[in-house]
Amino acid sequence: QAVLTQPPSASGTPGQRVTISCSGSTSNIGSNYVHWYQQLPGTAPKLLISRNNQRPSGVPDRFSGSKSGTSASLAISGLRSEDEADYYCAAWDDSLSVWVFGGGTKLTVL
Amino acid sequence: QVQLVESGGGVVQPGRSLRLSCAVSGFTFSSYGMHWVRQAPGKGLEWVAVISYDGSSKYYADSVKGRFSISRDNSKDTLYLQMNSLRVEDTAVYYCAKDSHSSWYGYFDPWGQGTLVTVSS
């Protein structure tokens, strides 16, 4: 059972906008940055969004992140087939002194 | 460019030990915290352990505490994970990842390609 809660799946058609939620608590999301990782099929995870809403160089501006209280969201606009992947949120937990991940959301582009 | 290359995975019997290595290049290894993250077959990501830039601070997931030990050799630009008393549930792809900070509370970037550990009798 993951400490951060994500929907197991999400879907959309090309060009649509989809959002993926990540719910935590005051000791993790409520106190620290949230980071998002993308894992394309058969590959290692890759940093997608850091520090709640910062896009690393090379990440398209179709991807955006936000945080409010103990929840965070990843939004993908202009959905493309190559966005089909698993998405994970992560945060440091001050109470547990561990890093915690969400269970992951499998995004399907219909 | 920054590279992280894991090695040392394989098939091991329950109760035995294994040591993973992560050789890095392309950045000043001794300036950054480093992590191990694992992924069981068909499952999500699970953080395993982190070590600070100088090895003075280490944190572990409860699932591996007391059995696994993270270490680093800054003279060899290499990160290690000593895994003892292995269990079937430790079967996973193990990734090493660089922290964006010198300690443990940055973000993970980049990640290595992973090495598969299979614990089976």
Side-chain angles (χ1 to χ4, degrees), chain A residues 35 37 39 44-45 47 88 99, chain B residues 39 44 95 104 106-108 111-112:
Chain A
H35 314 293
Y37 301 91
Q39 187 174 33
L47 178 68
Y88 296 90
W99 275 92
Chain B
Q39 185 171 36
Y95 298 100
W104 56 88
Y107 47 84
F108 310 159
W111 299 55

Side-chain angles (χ1 to χ4, degrees), chain A residues 32-33 35 37 39 43-47 49-51 56 86 88 90 92 96-104, chain B residues 35 37 39 43-47 50 59-62 95 99-101 104-109 111-114:
Chain A
N32 297 295
Y33 288 122
H35 314 293
Y37 301 91
Q39 187 174 33
T43 70
K46 176 190 115 174
L47 178 68
I49 296 288
S50 67
R51 298 174 179 172
D86 293 322
Y88 296 90
W92 174 255
L96 301 174
S97 294
V98 298
W99 275 92
V100 291
F101 278 95
Chain B
H35 300 263
V37 178
Q39 185 171 36
K43 302 296 184 182
L45 300 175
E46 180 188 16
W47 175 80
V50 63
Y59 292 95
Y60 298 92
D62 283 348
Y95 298 100
D99 196 289
S100 58
H101 284 168
W104 56 88
Y105 45 74
Y107 47 84
F108 310 159
D109 182 48
W111 299 55
Q113 87 289 349

Side-chain angles (χ1 to χ4, degrees), chain B residues 20-74:
Chain B
L20 305 183
S21 299
C22 171
V24 315
S25 60
F27 67 98
T28 305
F29 180 65
S30 58
S31 296
Y32 294 91
M34 293 293 297
H35 300 263
W36 287 100
V37 178
R38 68 184 181 182
Q39 185 171 36
K43 302 296 184 182
L45 300 175
E46 180 188 16
W47 175 80
V48 173
V50 63
I51 186 169
S52 60
Y53 72 104
D54 60 356
S56 62
S57 295
K58 304 174 186 179
Y59 292 95
Y60 298 92
D62 283 348
S63 58
V64 307
K65 200 174 293 183
R67 299 187 300 122
F68 289 13
S69 178
I70 189 172
S71 63
R72 64 192 297 158
D73 186 335
N74 286 345

